[in-house]
Amino acid sequence: MDALKEKIDTLRRERNAVILAHYYTDSDVQDIADFVGDSLALSQRAATTDADVILFAGVHFMGETAKILSPRKTVLMPDMAAGCSLADSCPADEFAAFIAANPGRTVISYVNTTAEVKALTDIVCTSSNAVEIVRSLPPDEPILFGPDRNLGNYIRNITGRENMLVWDGACHVHEEFSLEKILELKQAYPHAKVLTHPECKRPIVLISDYVGSTAGLLKYAVNDTSTDTYIVVTEPGVLHQMRLAAPGKTFIPAPPSDPSCGCNNCSYMKLITLPKIAAALESLQPEILIPEEVRRRAEGSIRRMLEISARLGLV
Ligand code: 13P
Ligand code: SF4
């Protein structure tokens, strides 16, 4: 394994490559990355890196976002099958028809979408900045939000925006968490706090002590001094950075409804492995390519998100 890590290091230097990893990838992948972050931080890095090659240790829409922002760079996905059930729940032609049937609305799309959906979008958001991006619009602005129904409903409840249509999509991982099993864990660990990603269903959000993006959950877990035990309701890959940053604390992954299914793991993120990273750096394949017309239109919606986030100091 050390030989593999050395190979990755050598290739990374030779290719002038940067390895960006999402918190949901396996620990060994996070450990060799140049930067580990949530979707917002990863897109900010992809927009500003001076590397020639970006290797995305994450899922396809993240690689696409990097390519949209840095079209002259080579963007590598170690496994092109690393998709996203949430992005799949929003085909571009159906989303275009939804927009056409509801004209005059500002279209806000979660970053977990294809480049084609981003090209139909006015402003992209991530779970780190979705509430602030909606709040940055006039209070009576009609909004069409896609594709995550749980995040959309969470934003609607927090901001009180009634005039907000939400696409009916979801992430198969975050939909699987069981309220009953989380409540049982709370009984077993009465002093534990529940930290939840907003892609989870509303009943779980309602019993949570903190709701936020993966970076938000990590920051909260590290800085909070009220307890030392946390039930973490998101993909368990993020527990690796929590344990590194707060070794004295206990982090308990929330179980899915059927504990034997392992479906609280994002099977797409877990497709990214060290051997595939080495192979991609060696062959400079597979590479993300996006038709220029789609890329150009998608770029505007991502740049708008980055501008609003920079203005509001969201990193
Ligand atoms: P964040 O990176 O915004 O926390 O969202 C997580 C996600 O669903 C990535 O798949
Ligand atoms: Fe997509 Fe869900 Fe996996 Fe995130 S956890 S990449 S939203 S399938």
Side-chain angles (χ1 to χ4, degrees):
M1 194 50 97
D2 280 350
L4 190 55
K5 286 182 189 164
E6 270 170 37
K7 184 174 177 182
I8 290 171
D9 272 343
T10 306
L11 287 165
R12 167 176 20 210
R13 269 195 309 279
E14 285 173 5
R15 305 293 194 209
N16 187 24
V18 66
I19 301 177
L20 305 181
H22 191 270
Y23 290 124
Y24 294 164
T25 53
D26 278 329
S27 317
D28 58 350
V29 171
Q30 295 185 35
D31 288 345
I32 58 95
D34 295 290
F35 180 74
V36 186
D38 72 349
S39 305
L40 176 60
L42 289 168
S43 63
Q44 288 167 329
R45 281 287 166 134
T48 54
T49 179
D50 53 13
D52 296 319
V53 174
I54 300 173
L55 183 138
F56 228 105
V59 292
H60 192 266
F61 75 79
M62 296 177 175
E64 276 192 336
T65 303
K67 185 67 181 178
I68 290 165
L69 290 167
S70 296
R72 276 177 289 280
K73 295 188 190 302
T74 300
V75 178
L76 301 174
M77 278 302 300
D79 189 328
M80 281 293 190
C84 168
S85 60
L86 180 51
D88 289 347
S89 72
C90 189
D93 56 340
E94 292 176 30
F95 196 58
F98 187 54
I99 295 169
N102 297 282
R105 290 178 175 269
T106 297
V107 178
I108 303 182
S109 292
Y110 197 25
V111 70
N112 300 41
T113 46
T114 59
E116 287 78 10
V117 167
K118 289 186 178 79
L120 299 166
T121 295
D122 296 308
I123 315 173
V124 167
C125 71
T126 76
S127 56
S128 267
N129 58 21
V131 168
E132 287 81 0
I133 282 182
V134 168
R135 282 197 175 130
S136 74
L137 300 175
D140 52 354
E141 181 106 348
I143 294 170
L144 191 154
F145 183 90
D148 191 65
R149 59 176 172 248
N150 295 323
L151 179 65
N153 291 331
Y154 172 72
I155 299 166
R156 193 161 45 193
N157 288 321
I158 291 269
T159 61
R161 302 273 173 146
E162 290 304 326
N163 201 357
M164 183 167 150
L165 286 180
V166 177
W167 179 263
D168 193 21
C171 152
H172 73 298
V173 174
H174 288 90
E175 284 261 299
E176 274 303 318
F177 290 110
S178 153
L179 176 65
E180 200 182 333
K181 293 204 160 51
I182 294 167
L183 291 174
E184 281 167 15
L185 274 176
K186 263 177 84 84
Q187 268 188 338
Y189 301 90
H191 58 296
K193 280 190 160 177
V194 179
L195 312 182
T196 295
H197 197 280
E199 287 174 27
C200 295
K201 290 179 183 167
R202 183 160 164 75
I204 295 178
V205 165
L206 285 175
I207 58 102
S208 297
D209 297 287
Y210 177 79
V211 179
S213 74
T214 43
L217 302 182
L218 175 60
K219 197 168 162 191
Y220 185 94
V222 171
N223 294 335
D224 179 55
T225 51
S226 66
T227 184
D228 61 0
T229 307
Y230 303 85
I231 299 164
V232 183
V233 197
T234 190
E235 214 278 354
V238 72
L239 269 68
H240 180 54
Q241 296 299 326
M242 289 178 171
R243 288 173 177 143
L244 287 176
K249 294 183 172 181
T250 302
F251 299 103
I252 305 164
S257 306
D258 171 5
S260 66
C261 73
C263 37
N264 56 336
N265 281 285
C266 177
S267 48
Y268 302 110
M269 292 277 186
K270 308 306 185 208
L271 286 175
I272 308 302
T273 62
L274 296 185
K276 289 181 196 171
I277 290 173
L281 286 173
E282 189 151 47
S283 63
L284 292 179
Q285 292 291 332
E287 183 184 355
I288 298 262
L289 297 170
I290 302 172
E292 179 54 20
E293 167 60 12
V294 174
R295 192 206 64 78
R296 206 179 38 71
R297 284 189 291 126
E299 183 179 10
S301 61
I302 303 173
R303 295 265 173 219
R304 249 162 258 133
M305 168 185 82
L306 294 176
E307 281 157 24
I308 296 171
S309 301
R311 188 158 24 93
L312 299 176
L314 303 169
V315 281

